[in-house]
Amino acid sequence: MSKVIVVTSGKGGVGKTTTSASFACGLAQHGYKTAVIDFDIGLRNLDLIMGCERRVVYDFVDVINGDAKLEQALIRDKRVPNLFILPASQTKDKDALTKDGVGKVLDRLRETYDYIVCDSPAGIEHGAFIALYYADEALIITNPEVSSVRDSDRILGILASKSYRAEEGLEPVKEMLILTRYSPDLVHKGEMLSIDDILDILSIPLLGVVPESKAVLQASNSGIPIIMNQKSNAGMAYSDLVKRFFGEDQSHRFITMKKKGFLSRFLRN
Amino acid sequence: MGILDCFQNTRTNTASIAKERLKIVVSHERSLRHGQLDYLPSMQQDILDVIKKYIEIDNDQLKMNIEHDDNYEVLEMNITFPDSQNLFKPIEP
């Protein structure tokens, strides 16, 4: 049975699109037919992160309005089999994302895809609301930073009260936390909220912790989802969390401070 | 601990400050969301009215908050008194 998974956070710039790209890529690498949809109408970016920006012809809104067929708008990823991208519209009005229109497109996708990943825009306005509305599961992206944690809690409230599942009295949306830009060194120094601090406040299960890494910027520079760079800690953290998503027992890596050499320890803590 | 630490001031642990602040604001926002405490604003107004019978304070000088812990809830009430020397002098009826 196919699943709709929203990647959401409330706050902007925490790694929703980075996560959507890598998570969708990971699902497809496991052999599942996966579509990832950009819900950020007017601020399309998933195409850039996935490296398919020059192949966009039709978009999500074209499909909703009946100006293009779904198959015409879906872009097949050239690197990973089973992975398809549905880009957002860059020009049209975001009100084009009607509950009805989005619901129909998702229903069509559910017929042939195993997973449909919805990359939510920031905020709690219409676009973010419609991205999470039909979700079966939600990946909550949070940075270890006060405003991000607070905004994530807001989003959890919306998932619990305004989603389709909530409105219809179905089983609640399954929520999972992904902590991004985590810096074990800062946590050790008491300068950053720890994993336990954040779990204590949000009280939802932890799917993964992605460490702060320069490789993420390099990946977005070149339009390659970070999960494809298995030499980087962040890339490995994404592979781990995808495995965890499929129920594999995978311990969390990159969450403790790096061991320091004798000289650096001597000079500075 | 490195040698240079001897010369540094002890850092304040800002992460624990962050956690405390978040706990308060998130639990407050959750309580509003769940509507469990619909009576809180009107209770706050009633308490305010009682205090005003005796002390001159503004509405925003009374702050109320409910904190949830695992086994108990705490009702926290904060009243800021104005800078007045005759603070406890009763107001003439």
Side-chain angles (χ1 to χ4, degrees):
Chain A
M1 214 192 77
S2 72
K3 271 183 190 161
V4 175
I5 302 164
V6 63
V7 179
T8 185
S9 69
K11 193 174 183 301
V14 295
K16 282 183 296 298
T17 303
T18 301
T19 302
S20 298
S22 280
F23 188 71
C25 198
L27 297 176
Q29 283 170 337
H30 277 74
Y32 293 95
K33 195 172 179 192
T34 306
V36 54
I37 309 177
D38 190 348
F39 274 76
D40 206 346
I41 306 302
L43 293 169
R44 168 164 90 204
N45 275 321
L46 180 68
D47 55 336
L48 268 181
I49 301 300
M50 302 281 297
C52 63
E53 70 278 7
R54 295 175 59 171
R55 297 166 63 207
V56 177
V57 182
Y58 296 108
D59 58 57
F60 192 18
V61 175
D62 290 327
V63 177
I64 291 171
N65 292 343
D67 296 331
K69 285 183 185 160
L70 183 56
E71 295 72 22
Q72 291 177 303
L74 283 163
I75 303 168
R76 177 193 290 270
D77 190 274
K78 285 187 169 166
R79 299 154 298 211
V80 186
N82 300 318
L83 181 58
F84 294 80
I85 301 117
L86 185 54
S89 170
Q90 190 68 313
T91 48
K92 300 183 186 75
D93 197 85
K94 60 175 174 289
D95 292 332
L97 295 185
T98 57
K99 253 188 202 176
D100 197 40
V102 171
K104 278 180 183 155
V105 174
L106 292 178
D107 283 342
R108 285 277 317 281
L109 288 167
R110 276 179 192 273
E111 290 167 14
T112 45
Y113 285 82
D114 299 308
Y115 291 103
I116 301 144
V117 178
C118 303
D119 181 20
S120 170
I124 49 171
E125 303 294 312
H126 181 70
F129 165 71
I130 208 84
L132 67 78
Y133 184 72
Y134 291 104
D136 301 308
E137 305 192 355
L139 304 184
I140 310 296
I141 315 303
T142 306
N143 285 173
E145 192 259 324
V146 284
S147 53
S148 175
V149 177
R150 183 197 209 174
D151 290 358
S152 293
D153 192 66
R154 274 304 300 275
I155 288 290
L156 290 173
I158 294 169
L159 280 165
S161 62
K162 304 232 169 79
S163 62
Y164 177 79
R165 281 179 170 268
E167 281 184 359
E168 297 294 314
L170 302 168
E171 202 183 315
V173 178
K174 187 179 172 195
E175 301 149 341
M176 286 160 284
L177 179 69
I178 296 180
L179 260 181
T180 51
R181 310 199 67 168
Y182 194 71
S183 172
D185 290 19
L186 289 182
V187 173
H188 181 79
K189 287 187 207 161
E191 291 171 8
M192 181 181 269
L193 288 162
S194 71
I195 298 169
D196 288 340
D197 289 342
I198 295 165
L199 290 178
D200 195 20
I201 290 162
L202 295 178
S203 25
I204 56 169
L206 179 69
L207 185 64
V209 182
V210 181
E212 172 79 59
S213 161
K214 283 179 194 160
V216 174
L217 179 61
Q218 285 164 8
S220 80
N221 284 345
S222 25
I224 302 165
I226 183 68
I227 196 170
M228 298 185 80
N229 177 358
Q230 283 300 307
K231 283 182 182 148
S232 72
N233 290 353
M236 290 188 270
Y238 274 112
S239 304
D240 286 359
L241 71 85
V242 172
K243 286 180 190 157
R244 243 172 256 128
F245 178 81
F246 287 120
E248 279 183 44
D249 190 18
Q250 195 81 31
S251 62
H252 291 276
R253 295 191 273 176
F254 323 114
I255 59 172
T256 46
M257 209 176 59
K258 278 177 243 126
K259 286 243 159 48
K260 289 225 167 105
F262 168 75
L263 195 64
S264 62
R265 202 176 337 180
F266 178 76
L267 289 171
R268 197 172 269 270
N269 184 12
Chain B
M1 276 292 179
I3 273 186
L4 295 182
D5 286 290
C6 306
F7 305 103
Q8 284 177 339
N9 291 329
T10 332
R11 281 194 206 88
T12 40
N13 186 329
T14 52
S16 59
I17 300 171
K19 188 184 180 188
E20 276 317 300
R21 292 174 59 219
L22 266 173
K23 262 190 157 173
I24 292 166
V25 73
V26 165
S27 74
H28 177 68
E29 285 170 355
R30 274 186 198 165
S31 65
L32 294 177
R33 212 154 66 203
H34 296 317
Q36 297 162 328
L37 303 165
D38 289 341
Y39 58 85
L40 198 64
S42 68
M43 182 165 87
Q44 181 164 352
Q45 190 56 50
D46 286 351
I47 293 172
L48 200 60
D49 290 342
V50 173
I51 296 169
K52 276 182 171 172
K53 276 168 79 175
Y54 303 97
I55 306 162
E56 275 185 71
I57 66 163
D58 288 330
N59 286 1
D60 58 359
Q61 286 171 301
L62 173 72
K63 291 210 168 65
M64 271 169 57
N65 188 33
I66 294 196
E67 270 193 63
H68 302 260
D69 227 303
D70 291 339
N71 305 316
Y72 57 90
E73 293 181 8
V74 180
L75 172 66
E76 196 181 79
M77 194 160 73
N78 242 310
I79 308 163
T80 320
F81 288 135
D83 288 335
S84 161
Q85 297 202 323
N86 302 323
L87 191 62
F88 293 102
K89 189 178 148 194
I91 299 166
E92 295 303 321

